[in-house]
Amino acid sequence: MSKLRTFTRRAFLIGTTAIAGGVAFGTYKYLTPEDNPLLDDLKADEAAITPFVKIDQHGVTLITPRADKGQGAYSIQAMLLAEELDIDPYQVRTSPGKPSAAYYNGAVLDEAAPGFGDVLGKLLGMQITGGSSTVPDMYERMRLAGAVARETLKQAAATLYSVDMAKLTTKNGQVHLPDGRAINYSELATAAANIAPVNDVSLRPPSSWKYLGKPHQRTDILAKSTGTQDYGIDVTFDNMLYASVRANPGIGAGAASFDDTKAKALRGVKKILPITNGVAVIADNTWRAIKAVNAIDITWSPGPYPENSAQMWQVLEQHLTPEFENVERKNEGDIAKALSVGNSNVISHSYRTPYLAHAPLEPMNATVLVTDNKVEIWTGTQIPRFVVNHVAELTGLLKSQIHLYAQPMGGSFGRRLEDTYVLQALEIAQAMKGTPIKMTWSREEDMQHDYPRPMTLAKAQGSVENGQVSAMQLQIVSASLVASWMGRIDSAPPGPDATITTGADDQPYGIPHYRVTGYKAPEMVPISSWRSVGASQNGFYHESFLDELITEAGADPLKERLRLCNDDIATKVLEKLGEISQWQGPKPAENKGRGIAMTKSFGVPVGFVVDVSYEASRIRIDHVYIVADVGAVLDPINIEAQLSGGAIFGLGHAMNCELTYENYAPVQTNYHQYQAMRINQAPDITVHVLENGDAIKGAGEPGVPPAAPALANAIYAATGQRIRELPLNKAITFT
């Protein structure tokens, strides 16, 4: 057993990142341990040795506070704990726990504040799920939690049975005594609750792992395969009533007037009430609530942003000018000289990407019960502490009087980083105190009131010299995602927004003259994080234009990327990608094309090769090859699923999806106008994962950004048509 570090209670609760300097209060606050939330409701025969492990007479409960939205977060958290605690993760209970600062995320802000993510995460109480941060953040913390619980249980057994603790072992949820007796953890709960946690522990080396790094099914696979998994939308109580809403599709504006005469006459309607920005109906089931609210004749006030997409594009174009420069993290060489007017090799093009909805399969919903001194909420959310804060502010209750029960989610892709739907449900439930109210959006309401991925524009310029790429400049304009989203859930931070250029200004290439600049446009439609955030559009810009420059230079797309690559880990990704795809160039045969792209996002370089066929003026995607390096693979089956799913997600949106606006509202209101990739269009996918990095990274988001540019580059190779705007079906038909 390798002793990695001495584990103290303070280190367990707040992580181990050191900070230098800083104001005294900030330093003190960071070093102050958070309370264990499990102790609040603990009974006499229960033990909560750490905030992540609870033991009672019925067994072990693992607390898995990072939200599960289909990415397997509950499963991997359980396995991290189980590996050190010596239990079978398939045979114990798991619970997301209640919102608590003890469950802050110390990795989610690493991209925005390198080296200080853990500090900021704790100071802000950022219990949040997103940014492919669950595994990086929880990898050591949860293993330490399991180890502390294990050693404390051994100490409890040693005291009870007067045995030297060093002679005890653990296996399958039991402490084994030297005489062969095995004591269940549940039998030790009372004793363990009355001794100090054993903090001086060692973590087990990977060579002894039973679950991590091994091919295992997720702990929720049976429930999800048999349709028995309950989500937020499945919550049911006796005497529950049901609600649905319509709010102004011009997000932020309200209803000038409404006529509910027809709705009142419909079967099952219990109550109609105005709410913030719209109207709600309470009925005896969800369908009747939706039917009735849609029967209300509403006159909407004008929205607070440009009326249509054409005007929105104009706003972006007007802000792609020096006075609106917001962020520049890449400026190497002499780009002005390289792109001077006298240089005949300068290439210049414009790109653009549209607003995109999150469109998870489970529409937004929340069940709320309001009484005089308590609010109870059942919902899927990625921001539980922020929800509690907002509910406390709106009701005047203490945070301790707000009880949120986090539910599994039927998808999110960043959508449940918001809580508008919860606050609407609260507003309705306040009008029906004592009655549980389940509020569910219709699919149309969900599409029209999404906070989408931002629409953005990019101006690209570059030059080639002696058959090589010599200069590249990207100028990207967008509203500030951080200001929009953080402004809603807490407060908008000052300073530049790195997400405007993320995925373009941090790529592992050594181009001699290389500049990426972001320009900040005013917020129009309120926006939010979408799977892979800024890299989802910026990867398209960067890898599409780099491919154009390589083509202009007459170079091979893979070989030139390898020549330019200045990162050993990313280089190995490209090399392995060429190997598994048997790369021989972008044009393997007549009516065939191959496109390559690599984007590094969330610290993970991911490379794609996409093979397409071109027949009868239609494109078919035949095969996708994916290589990624996540540092270490903890769940090989799930990481392949995440990368494959990211490819399908990214390709489908690149092919077909956009939100366009007329009269302040999205034209696309349901899946028939916002189509994912069809099953008959799904290609064969080959995934290879490398482990050369020195830090463990997540895989849920990095598989998306290379998809769109690799597909666009493949289409060019097959057809000679270079497409610079998404979705690609504006210019070509897919079969």
Side-chain angles (χ1 to χ4, degrees), residues 88-212:
D88 183 343
Y90 299 95
Q91 300 299 321
V92 298
R93 294 166 293 177
T94 62
S95 168
K98 62 183 182 180
S100 170
Y103 303 129
Y104 80 93
N105 191 326
V108 73
L109 296 177
D110 279 349
E111 290 274 309
F116 292 94
D118 194 70
V119 177
L120 292 173
K122 182 175 191 298
L123 293 177
L124 296 173
M126 292 282 284
Q127 186 184 350
I128 187 171
T129 305
S132 285
S133 62
T134 293
V135 171
D137 181 58
M138 291 297 198
Y139 173 63
E140 187 170 279
R141 289 170 69 189
M142 293 199 116
R143 290 163 63 222
L144 286 170
V148 167
R150 179 192 73 227
E151 295 304 307
T152 304
L153 288 163
K154 287 166 63 178
Q155 180 63 68
T159 302
L160 278 176
Y161 294 95
S162 301
V163 178
D164 182 357
M165 181 179 167
K167 296 181 179 179
L168 301 180
T169 59
T170 56
K171 184 178 180 181
N172 295 332
Q174 298 175 321
V175 175
H176 289 253
L177 306 182
D179 62 9
R181 284 180 292 171
I183 314 301
N184 290 330
Y185 288 168
S186 58
E187 298 175 53
L188 299 168
T190 301
N194 292 307
I195 63 175
V198 177
N199 294 322
D200 189 5
V201 301
S202 299
L203 296 180
R204 291 174 169 168
S207 59
S208 70
W209 287 350
K210 299 176 183 177
Y211 301 104
L212 299 177

Side-chain angles (χ1 to χ4, degrees), residues 69-71 129-130 356-362 364 382 409-417 450-451 453 528-533 642 645-646 649 653 671 700-701 704:
K69 43 200 170 67
Q71 84 282 34
T129 305
L356 286 179
H358 298 83
L361 190 60
E362 181 193 12
M364 299 302 101
Q382 296 171 246
M409 300 170 230
S412 174
F413 316 116
R415 181 64 186 91
R416 288 175 169 88
L417 288 165
D450 196 356
Y451 297 106
R453 185 188 81 172
S528 187
S529 292
W530 190 88
R531 189 174 182 180
S532 73
V533 201
Q642 289 299 300
F649 188 85
H653 280 84
Y671 289 132
E701 311 213 41
V704 174

Side-chain angles (χ1 to χ4, degrees), residues 362-443:
E362 181 193 12
M364 299 302 101
N365 64 86
T367 299
V368 179
L369 174 60
V370 176
T371 56
D372 289 337
N373 59 3
K374 184 166 68 171
V375 174
E376 294 182 274
I377 304 163
W378 294 262
T379 193
T381 177
Q382 296 171 246
I383 52 169
R385 293 197 71 227
F386 288 108
V387 173
V388 170
N389 293 346
H390 294 165
V391 171
E393 291 169 3
L394 291 173
T395 61
L397 295 174
L398 299 174
K399 294 176 187 177
S400 60
Q401 296 172 290
I402 315 300
H403 300 264
L404 189 152
Y405 310 101
Q407 305 296 304
M409 300 170 230
S412 174
F413 316 116
R415 181 64 186 91
R416 288 175 169 88
L417 288 165
E418 307 286 346
D419 63 0
T420 305
Y421 56 100
V422 180
L423 303 183
Q424 284 182 338
L426 170 68
E427 192 172 355
I428 298 165
Q430 285 179 306
M432 299 288 289
K433 280 189 175 182
T435 301
I437 302 292
K438 180 193 287 187
M439 191 283 300
T440 307
W441 283 4
S442 67
R443 175 61 56 197

Side-chain angles (χ1 to χ4, degrees), residues 454-644:
M455 65 188 305
T456 67
L457 283 171
K459 180 180 179 182
Q461 292 178 292
S463 62
V464 299
E465 190 174 336
N466 299 322
Q468 297 178 340
V469 175
S470 58
M472 180 172 171
Q473 174 173 258
L474 282 175
Q475 297 168 288
I476 302 165
V477 59
S478 171
S480 172
L481 184 153
V482 170
S484 184
W485 172 61
M486 285 297 295
R488 287 189 297 277
I489 69 165
D490 190 23
S491 59
D497 183 354
T499 69
I500 294 175
T501 55
T502 297
D505 63 11
D506 49 0
Q507 296 311 290
Y509 295 114
I511 300 172
H513 309 285
Y514 198 10
R515 185 182 185 214
V516 180
T517 310
Y519 300 82
K520 183 178 176 181
E523 179 180 270
M524 294 177 282
V525 178
I527 53 179
S528 187
S529 292
W530 190 88
R531 189 174 182 180
S532 73
V533 201
S536 67
Q537 65 265 19
N538 295 334
F540 172 66
Y541 297 150
H542 189 281
E543 286 298 287
S544 293
F545 187 59
L546 179 58
D547 209 70
E548 291 205 54
L549 292 173
I550 292 171
T551 300
E552 184 70 20
D556 178 86
L558 174 58
K559 292 178 180 178
E560 181 66 354
R561 281 177 171 84
L562 281 167
R563 187 190 70 81
L564 292 169
C565 193
N566 58 8
D567 177 275
D568 289 342
I569 294 172
T571 294
K572 290 172 182 173
V573 166
L574 286 171
E575 289 172 343
K576 179 58 70 173
L577 185 62
E579 177 187 324
I580 68 169
S581 68
Q582 299 181 11
W583 179 270
Q584 297 294 324
K587 187 73 172 176
E590 189 67 24
N591 296 326
K592 300 281 187 180
R594 311 192 87 185
I596 188 170
M598 180 179 68
T599 303
K600 184 177 182 179
S601 61
F602 304 92
V604 179
V606 181
F608 274 44
V609 166
V610 172
D611 288 351
V612 302
S613 301
Y614 183 54
E615 296 180 15
S617 300
R618 292 172 177 265
I619 285 287
R620 175 171 182 79
I621 306 174
D622 299 320
H623 204 118
V624 177
Y625 300 88
I626 305 171
V627 178
D629 194 313
V630 297
V633 177
L634 300 183
D635 188 340
I637 292 177
N638 195 47
I639 198 169
E640 182 173 350
Q642 289 299 300
L643 291 168
S644 298

Side-chain angles (χ1 to χ4, degrees), residues 240-324:
M240 187 166 73
L241 290 177
Y242 304 79
S244 195
V245 304
R246 282 174 64 202
N248 194 323
I251 297 174
S257 63
F258 67 89
D259 181 351
D260 59 6
T261 305
K262 294 178 182 177
K264 286 179 177 178
L266 293 177
R267 182 182 177 188
V269 172
K270 302 294 185 181
K271 193 178 186 70
I272 298 173
L273 65 153
I275 61 169
T276 303
N277 302 126
V279 183
V281 169
I282 302 172
D284 58 4
N285 67 36
T286 296
W287 171 242
R288 289 173 181 165
I290 291 174
K291 185 177 179 182
V293 81
N294 286 336
I296 299 174
D297 184 13
I298 307 174
T299 300
W300 299 117
S301 300
Y305 44 76
E307 183 177 357
N308 56 52
S309 292
Q311 295 173 8
M312 295 173 185
W313 288 120
Q314 289 177 2
V315 170
L316 291 185
E317 290 168 355
Q318 291 163 2
H319 286 78
L320 190 57
T321 55
E323 61 264 39
F324 299 108

